[in-house]
Each structure stands twice: as C-alpha cells, then as structure tokens.
Amino acid sequence: MLRFLLMRIASAIPVLAILSLVTFAIIQAPPGDYADYIRSQLINQGGASFAQADAQAQAYRVEHGLDKPLPIQYLNWIGGIVTRGDFGYSLYYNKPVADVVGERLPRTLLLALVCHLLASVLGITFGIWAATRQYTWIDSTLSAISFLGMTVPRFLMALIIVYLLVFQFNVSEIGSFFSPQYGGAPWSWAKFVDLVKHVWPVVAIATFGGLAYNMRVMRGNLLDTLNAQYVETAKAKGLTGGAVVMRHAVPNALHPLVMYQGVVLPYMLTGEIETAIIFALPTVGPAIVGSMAVGDVYVTATFMMVLSATLIVGNIIADMLLALLDPRVRQFGER
C-alpha cells in the first residue's frame, strides 16, 4: 500500500508542475498588471497627471519585477515556492501571499468539508430511501429535489437567499462570519451559534448540489444492485429486507461514490467560492476575484494552484480508498 501511495504522489508532481505553468500563463494573458492599477488610481483618485502616475507605475513595475519577461517571472515564482516556500508578495494586500492564503484557505476548507460531510450523509441516506421505495411519492419527491439540486445554478440560489434575507427579513449582517460583539471574543456556545447564523446559507447551497448528486448516484446504483443474483440468493436464504439492503446491496453500490471522492473536494470548494462571492465572506472566492480585478497575479496563481492541488489530492485519496476496498486496484497500480 505504501508503494502504491508513493507512486500516486510521484505521478502527481509533473501534473502539478504543468498546471502551474498553464495557470500562470492564462492569468498573465490579459493586458495590464498591478502597476496599471496603481496608475489609474493615482489619476482618478490622487489627481496626478498621466506622466506622474506613469512614472510611479513604471518604478513600481521595476521594483517588483513586473517588467521582466513572463518566463522569468514564472521561474522566480515557482523557484521561490520550491526552494523557500515563498509564494511571492501580494501587491494588493501588501503582505506575503502565504499570509493571505493562510488567512482565507482554512475557513474555505472547513466550510467545504462540512458541506461534503452533510452532502454525503444526507445524499446517501436519501438515495437508499428512494431506491427502496421505488415509484412511490417519496421516490418522486426525492428525485425532483435531486433534479433541482443538479440544475439550478448555485449563484442564483445565493442571490435569491440574499434578496430574501436583506429585503424580506431585514438582515443586515451579511459579509462576515460573526456579529461585531463576537469578532474577537473567545470561543463559546453563543459564538458558535452566531457563526452558524452567518454561514448557513453558504453551507446549505453548497451542500444542496452535492447532496443531489450523491442521492442520484446512490439511488441508481442501489437499484441495479438490488436486482443482482447474489441479492436474490440472500433473500432466498431468509434474510430480512433491511439486512439484505444494508449488508449486501449498499456496500457494493457505494463504489462509484468512493470514486467520486476524487473530485468532491474541488466541487465543494467551487460551490463555496460561488456563494461566498455573493455573500462577500472573507474566504478564497472573493480573494480570487479581487486579485484578478487588480492584476495581483501571485495571489491568483497561488489560489488556482491550491484548487488544482485539491483535485490531485482528492484523486489520490479516492485511489487509496478503492485500493482498500478492492485489492485488484492496488495490484494493477503497482505494475
């Protein structure tokens, strides 16, 4: 198993290197950089002339290496990551990129993991419930919910909830994790409840899409499994319906969902990012949009690399889970 894991990690390194190159090139493709943003700010808000603003912008570009060719900028960025763990300096936030990521990424990952756990538990449970009650009103209702969860855009659901909260229920505390009185307070039950009050729309929306997918896949696979020969044999031996479903059918129907774990974390991260942008929460989503708007390339590139890394890590975890469930996967991977 250790050899299998090491081989998966080794094969992921070149993929991550190619992703970093492509990501950096795509982000740098649009015209302009942070120096252009500084020049426009000096002209529009500082009252400087174009010549004065352009001179300061050029000086800033030289000072921070933005005047160098793109290959040199990429090599400096990736070299700093490999040799020093330095992801560069955020021009917009005026701090190291590692600090920006360290502030926002843990919150995003925590929200994504909570959404994943809820989507998995509820989706698998509802999928079993729907499959064992095929063609009943319960199955029809759950299928309709699954269809809505997979088709309605998450940003649209977020906009609807924002409208209802602000204009119908007069909620003013949107865009933060805590109310002002709990911002710097130590953790307590009251602070946890306040956190839930602020983040439940993001969790609910991101969970809804994952729940719908899990429920749809679990229902379809379980229906196929319930018609298998070994299930009919188990029924013929006198086992109760619940024992047949939970002990024989469900474990075999879970295999496709185990494979789904390879993409579920990036899926939940993008779901959180979409809704967090609408709700203006201080997580990864608004940071990516803000950094792209002003040309803060190192912040954008680092966050995109993190999202790419989560996809690779998720696939490694899925491979490990499948190898534990089926030794044939491990034997094939070691060849």
Side-chain angles (χ1 to χ4, degrees), residues 251-310:
N252 289 284
L254 283 173
H255 280 214
L257 289 177
V258 172
M259 297 175 62
Y260 172 60
Q261 304 309 305
V263 297
V264 67
L265 186 56
Y267 178 82
M268 288 300 174
L269 281 172
T270 54
E272 185 279 333
I273 287 172
E274 289 179 22
T275 53
I277 291 173
I278 302 298
F279 285 90
L281 288 177
T283 56
V284 167
I288 292 177
V289 175
S291 61
M292 291 182 68
V294 300
D296 196 356
V297 62
Y298 295 122
V299 172
T300 309
T302 301
F303 276 127
M304 299 303 293
M305 279 286 294
V306 168
L307 294 179
S308 301
T310 59

Side-chain angles (χ1 to χ4, degrees), residues 4 14 27 40-41 45 47 58 96 116 120 124 128 130 133 144 152 154 157 193 199 217 224 241 284 287 304 314:
F4 181 78
I27 293 173
S40 64
Q41 291 295 101
Q45 298 184 10
Q58 293 298 335
H116 169 50
S120 298
I124 292 173
I128 296 172
R133 292 161 176 80
V152 178
R154 286 169 292 197
M157 290 189 285
V193 172
V199 302
V217 172
D224 291 337
V284 167
M304 299 303 293

Side-chain angles (χ1 to χ4, degrees), residues 151-185:
T151 55
V152 178
R154 286 169 292 197
F155 74 88
L156 178 60
M157 290 189 285
L159 288 172
I160 293 173
I161 292 179
V162 168
Y163 172 80
L164 293 175
L165 290 176
V166 174
F167 295 101
Q168 301 298 323
F169 298 99
N170 298 320
V171 176
S172 59
E173 295 178 354
I174 290 180
S176 62
F177 282 99
F178 301 101
S179 300
Q181 65 269 27
Y182 292 108

Side-chain angles (χ1 to χ4, degrees), residues 191-249:
K191 184 174 182 178
F192 175 76
V193 172
D194 185 71
L195 173 64
V196 173
K197 290 179 180 179
H198 284 76
V199 302
W200 73 262
V202 177
V203 174
I205 294 170
T207 299
F208 190 42
L211 178 154
Y213 180 87
N214 284 318
M215 180 168 58
R216 190 177 184 86
V217 172
M218 189 65 196
R219 178 188 180 276
N221 290 332
L222 187 55
L223 286 174
D224 291 337
T225 305
L226 289 174
N227 294 322
Q229 185 64 45
Y230 66 88
V231 175
E232 297 296 333
T233 302
K235 292 178 181 179
K237 289 181 178 180
L239 292 177
T240 62
V244 171
V245 171
M246 300 308 298
R247 291 173 54 186
H248 297 277

